[in-house]
Amino acid sequence: GESVGLHLPTLSVQEGDNSIINCAYSNSASDYFIWYKQESGKGPQFIIDIRSNMDKRQGQRVTVLLNKTVKHLSLQIAATQPGDSAVYFCAENVINTGTASKLTFGTGTRLQVTL
Amino acid sequence: DGGITQSPKYLFRKEGQNVTLSCEQNLNHDAMYWYRQDPGQGLRLIYYSQIVNDFQKGDIAEGYSVSREKKESFPLTVTSAQKNPTAFYLCASSIKGQGNEKLFFGSGTQLSVL
């Protein structure tokens, strides 16, 4: 757990600024996407999800944007706070009723919030 | 509180030894999963189960075994055949195991080789 995150791309953001974390996915058949937040030594926490019939979805302080044309997903965090410091993962899946959810995870981006 | 409990948080394995990681959930979820996490990499699926007494191999099942005798429990055994077992192991569950479900994760077990 403590070693998770070595060699990850890192985004440094000042407290109060907006953060944008990007993710490129590979499977053009993927139609369900999730963002997770993982703090050091802990399991991933769900942040927000989006289906491919949408290109934008908003939550509390977070927005996910989906561009299926270029297979790109982004997570925007408004007014970034120190508690947002963590590793963020995107995950993709193909919705297929009857089969287990086999999410494919990206490698993650570390967000560092500076004071 | 409902959730997923993994134990132990830290585990050490000697050469040639099998070790078992515990995962219990009280969310009444049908599906459970085991993922492995290495530094700088995303999560990789080891095994998953959609129903009691049934489970399927994930992408990196070699050297691991599981059982699903109860809905609440999905233990993972790291066998001596797994030559590089050092990693952070995450257990997860979802309601039915459908492709549009989010996974709920436990807090993980860090396994190291002595």
Side-chain angles (χ1 to χ4, degrees):
Chain A
E2 288 80 2
S3 62
V4 168
L6 288 178
H7 314 302
L8 288 176
T10 299
L11 174 66
S12 290
V13 174
Q14 258 195 320
E15 182 181 5
D17 287 351
N18 296 336
S19 303
I20 300 176
I21 301 171
N22 296 305
C23 175
Y25 64 92
S26 55
N27 186 357
S28 56
S30 292
D31 49 9
Y32 179 61
F33 305 88
I34 304 180
W35 280 100
Y36 282 95
K37 171 186 180 183
Q38 186 176 28
E39 297 174 6
S40 183
K42 297 183 179 179
Q45 293 175 272
F46 170 83
I47 302 174
I48 192 167
D49 58 0
I50 188 168
R51 293 199 187 199
S52 60
N53 60 352
M54 303 172 69
D55 52 20
K56 180 179 179 179
R57 192 170 186 212
Q58 289 184 288
Q60 188 177 11
R61 275 202 312 120
V62 295
T63 301
V64 55
L65 298 177
L66 175 62
N67 185 331
K68 296 179 287 295
T69 303
V70 295
K71 293 188 286 187
H72 184 267
L73 195 66
S74 68
L75 177 71
Q76 300 178 0
I77 304 173
T80 311
Q81 303 168 359
D84 295 326
S85 294
V87 176
Y88 289 81
F89 292 95
C90 65
E92 59 182 295
N93 202 5
V94 178
I95 298 174
N96 187 353
T97 302
T99 62
S101 176
K102 294 174 66 178
L103 288 170
T104 300
F105 286 81
T107 54
T109 297
R110 176 179 297 282
L111 176 65
Q112 288 182 337
V113 181
T114 57
L115 302 177
Chain B
D1 280 341
I4 300 175
T5 302
Q6 289 188 242
S7 63
K9 186 156 181 68
Y10 300 96
L11 186 60
F12 297 91
R13 193 191 90 166
K14 295 180 182 178
E15 292 286 339
Q17 185 182 40
N18 293 352
V19 292
T20 297
L21 284 61
S22 171
C23 179
E24 303 278 331
Q25 55 100 359
N26 60 4
L27 299 168
N28 199 33
H29 285 175
D30 286 338
M32 296 187 75
Y33 313 80
W34 275 104
Y35 283 88
R36 170 178 170 141
Q37 187 172 34
D38 293 282
Q41 297 191 35
L43 282 65
R44 292 183 291 168
L45 182 63
I46 305 172
Y47 268 99
Y48 64 95
S49 168
Q50 282 185 282
I51 196 168
V52 174
N53 292 323
D54 186 55
F55 47 83
Q56 306 296 328
K57 291 181 179 180
D59 300 319
I60 55 165
E62 186 175 348
Y64 301 97
S65 65
V66 293
S67 62
R68 187 86 187 275
E69 297 176 4
K70 299 187 299 181
K71 186 176 183 178
E72 302 80 17
S73 180
F74 192 41
L76 173 74
T77 296
V78 184
T79 75
S80 57
Q82 173 50 247
K83 298 307 179 188
N84 184 23
T86 298
F88 191 52
Y89 290 86
L90 288 159
C91 179
S93 70
S94 68
I95 298 173
K96 287 290 183 187
Q98 305 299 319
N100 60 343
E101 292 174 358
K102 56 180 177 277
L103 271 57
F104 295 82
F105 285 88
S107 55
T109 293
Q110 176 65 49
L111 175 63
S112 302
V113 177
L114 288 176

